[in-house]
Amino acid sequence: MAAHFIALRYRLLLGTLRRSPWAIVALVVSVLGGLSLLGMTAVGAIALRALAPELGGPAAVLVGAGLVVGLAAISVLIGTSDPLAAERFSLLPVRPRQLRRGLLAAQLLDVWGIVPVLAFATLLIVWSTSAPALITAIVALPIAVATVLLVARVTADLLARQLASKRARDAMAILLLVAIVGFTFAMQSIAVGVRALGDLGAAIVTAAEIIGWTPIGAAFALPHAVASGAWLEAAAKLAIALATIAIAWWGWGRLLEERLTNPIVLRGGGRVREGRMLDRLLPATPVGAIAARSIRYRRRDVRHLLNVIAVLMLPAVIAGVQLVGDDMPREPLVFVPMLMAMIAGSVVQIDTAYDASAFSWHLLAGVRGAQDRAGRLLGIGIVYVPVIVLTAFLSTAAAGRWELLPASIGLGVGTFALLSGALLWLAAYLPGEAPPPGANPLGRGSSGGVQSLAGLALAFPLLAIVGAPYVGLAIAAYWIPWLSWLSLAVSLLLGGISVWLGIRFGGAALDRRGPELLAQVSRAI
């Protein structure tokens, strides 16, 4: 049975690769990314082994517990779109016990199962300072792997029924994004505080001691207890680890049995209310209609709402980290609107992908490509440009350099316009990917996929070349303040030209290959 599930997993992967060459590119990028992360883990383990061997064990406990939590979060995100979800076997003569073994074997040989196994194997380096610790770590490796896989599966299945509602999935996605960004800021703040106290090693040891007594860290703390000769502590942590696996195995079986006999059915959202204010404010033209729809979707569709939250929070985190450190200069905060504009501009490329098959209405209604491009940019700009300008005011105030306000506005608005113009044209060829309507908003394609990365890789060099004049003037304004106004003028001029060219040539490309673009964005439906 396990062999059938493993073969099914790889047949599904092979089918995806055959349908889309971009899926092959995504797989290659994922493999390279996983290898780079494993390489960084190995380098870190070797560095700890050579420079601070006394911190190797506590650091391994923290890394292992972090992998358990991270994989559990990923499992929750993709649980509703898992091709091997239990509901897909509800009509087949498969018992929960057979299904449990098969799914676990398939997950172990999946990319999200192979990466933790290899990561745990690299952590053996830090335990090589002691023969008993190394032997214990090797013996505890299967326990650690079972812990991370089973905790992830139980967490995903436990929340699957609650996330069947679209409103619950949307709320979970928003909360998770906010939690991730907040956690990043909190960790930076804690790191700055610990550095100020001057005892980072003691903080790591204390955190590892606490987490080592929890179900997610007990399996990783076993070698340290054995190396220290604390046999009673080692026995207690072994009991915690084995009890965690036993409870998770039993609980997962009960959850699978319930899902086989009472399948989870995904439910849609609530009633959509009409909004007439935008229709009165925007022109009664195709451009105005598309812009109004784009603005409404930024509020109603959680996929767009997550992009807005990311644009708002990521620069705020960077600025917060800059402000936390007392020894950090404040002047670089003037460039925060530019970072926000780069994130907001990248949304322009994948905006059509969010329409999916509904994009056909633009083609059936005879909307010209230039009108489509202009309407989308107008709607996105109405949402993001005021936020960028407000961020420029706040960043300049935090930096205490009001004479740099024009340059900060120019860096934000000009970069947004320049990048948007380039991506308006590129989106007609590389529209990116997006989660299907009603699906998990943080699932596959939530960041645009490989096509989005390719588009940014092409657009950023153009931004560096064309945007160099106003960026250089903004830097020079640190010493010659009146150049700040010249930077603003140059940025708006270059941004306006880019937007005009993007609408014209992007619209022409859309007129030529509208059906091909529709096929691209509808592929996931």
Side-chain angles (χ1 to χ4, degrees), residues 139-159:
V139 174
L141 184 60
I143 300 176
V145 173
T147 299
V148 68
L149 295 181
L150 289 175
V151 168
R153 295 301 310 211
V154 169
T155 304
D157 287 2
L158 191 63
L159 296 176

Side-chain angles (χ1 to χ4, degrees), residues 208-522:
E209 289 178 352
I210 296 173
I211 295 177
W213 287 100
T214 64
I216 63 174
F220 307 99
L222 277 174
H224 186 266
V226 172
S228 302
W231 299 106
L232 185 60
E233 177 184 343
K237 291 181 177 179
L238 177 61
I240 293 174
L242 294 178
T244 301
I245 294 175
I247 294 173
W249 181 257
W250 173 80
W252 187 28
R254 295 296 299 271
L255 292 171
L256 285 178
E257 182 179 357
E258 182 183 1
R259 293 183 68 173
L260 285 175
T261 56
N262 184 19
I264 297 175
V265 179
L266 299 182
R267 302 187 298 273
R271 183 170 60 91
V272 176
R273 296 176 175 84
E274 64 178 346
R276 299 178 180 177
M277 179 63 70
L278 288 175
D279 296 331
R280 290 195 294 266
L281 294 177
L282 294 172
T285 62
V287 173
I290 294 173
R293 180 178 64 86
S294 178
I295 296 173
R296 290 190 182 101
Y297 281 7
R298 287 323 181 267
R299 178 176 60 87
R300 295 174 178 172
D301 192 336
V302 71
R303 300 174 301 166
H304 291 288
L305 185 59
L306 288 175
N307 290 329
V308 176
I309 295 175
V311 171
L312 292 174
M313 295 196 66
L314 292 180
V317 169
I318 295 176
V321 172
Q322 191 81 10
L323 292 173
V324 167
D326 295 332
D327 56 343
M328 295 184 180
R330 299 289 187 262
E331 285 78 6
L333 291 174
V334 176
F335 284 83
V336 170
M338 184 176 182
L339 175 62
M340 177 177 285
M342 294 168 67
I343 301 173
S346 64
V347 176
V348 175
Q349 179 188 358
I350 61 177
D351 190 69
T352 308
Y354 285 107
D355 288 354
S357 58
F359 176 67
S360 61
W361 289 103
H362 284 211
L363 303 180
L364 295 174
V367 177
R368 292 173 47 229
Q371 294 172 332
D372 178 275
R373 304 289 92 175
R376 292 181 187 276
L377 182 59
L378 177 60
I380 296 173
I382 289 175
V383 173
Y384 288 116
V385 170
V387 176
I388 293 173
V389 174
L390 177 61
T391 303
F393 274 91
L394 297 177
S395 300
T396 308
R401 297 288 301 271
W402 284 105
E403 68 274 13
L404 299 178
L405 177 60
S408 185
I409 295 175
L411 288 170
V413 178
T415 299
F416 174 76
L418 188 61
L419 193 61
S420 297
L423 293 177
L424 280 176
W425 169 76
L426 194 60
Y429 300 93
L430 300 176
E433 299 179 17
N440 192 329
L442 288 179
R444 182 179 60 85
S446 57
S447 59
V450 181
Q451 292 189 20
S452 178
L453 294 177
L456 294 178
L458 295 173
F460 280 160
L462 176 65
L463 175 64
I465 296 172
V466 180
Y470 67 83
V471 174
L473 289 171
I475 296 174
Y478 277 85
W479 299 275
I480 309 176
W482 65 268
L483 291 179
S484 180
W485 292 98
L486 184 58
S487 174
L488 174 62
V490 173
S491 65
L492 294 180
L493 176 63
L494 294 177
I497 294 174
S498 176
V499 167
W500 179 76
L501 293 175
I503 292 175
R504 179 178 178 182
F505 291 102
L510 187 58
D511 289 333
R512 290 194 305 271
R513 58 186 322 272
E516 290 85 352
L517 184 61
L518 175 62
Q520 285 181 270
V521 300
S522 304

Side-chain angles (χ1 to χ4, degrees), residues 50-129:
L51 302 177
E54 70 280 359
L55 295 179
V61 175
L62 297 180
V63 171
L67 283 174
V68 174
V69 176
L71 189 60
I74 293 173
S75 299
V76 171
L77 292 179
I78 67 176
T80 56
S81 57
D82 187 3
L84 293 182
E87 286 75 18
R88 300 177 184 271
F89 303 93
S90 59
L91 298 180
L92 300 177
V94 180
R95 295 180 180 274
R97 184 172 57 255
Q98 298 172 314
L99 183 62
R100 184 172 49 179
R101 290 197 298 264
L103 290 178
L104 185 63
Q107 185 181 10
L108 179 61
L109 295 180
D110 189 47
V111 62
W112 297 112
I114 296 175
V115 169
V117 172
L118 296 179
F120 295 155
T122 58
L123 293 178
L124 295 176
I125 298 173
V126 302
W127 300 116
S128 60
T129 55

